[in-house]
Amino acid sequence: MCTGFPMRVLAVDCDQLLARVAYGQGEQDVTIATLDQEIAPGDWVLVYLGMAVSKLTEREAADIIAFYEHGRVPPIGGTGDEKD
């Protein structure tokens, strides 16, 4: 199974079609040639094999990160911290 990772955009170089992105403590350059939406520093993108494949909302990014870290996604409309 192949997975993409949500990463926050730090900088965008439109001439080179690259974005500098961060995940955790790491940073890398990824191509943005595959995106059909404009991005700016502070945005979230889903990165797969060095390519930003889609722009994410902050909530979508947080849900994916939570799933990777904890194996679960908060319920719709909740934070996941609610008691049953």
Side-chain angles (χ1 to χ4, degrees):
M1 177 171 84
C2 300
T3 58
F5 294 91
M7 299 187 181
R8 185 176 292 275
V9 176
L10 301 175
V12 178
D13 182 342
C14 293
D15 293 332
Q16 297 294 318
L17 295 176
L18 293 173
R20 186 78 177 162
V21 295
Y23 180 79
Q25 300 299 316
E27 294 182 11
Q28 69 182 70
D29 291 327
V30 298
T31 183
I32 57 172
T34 53
L35 286 177
D36 60 357
Q37 297 172 296
E38 289 188 21
I39 58 169
D43 287 341
W44 285 89
V45 291
L46 187 66
V47 175
Y48 175 74
L49 296 176
M51 298 179 290
V53 294
S54 66
K55 184 175 176 180
L56 301 172
T57 66
E58 191 165 350
R59 174 65 189 261
E60 290 169 329
D63 286 350
I64 294 168
I65 292 167
F67 178 77
Y68 287 158
E69 291 179 350
H70 307 290
R72 65 184 177 89
V73 176
I76 295 173
T79 63
D81 295 329
E82 298 85 2
K83 300 284 184 203
D84 292 326

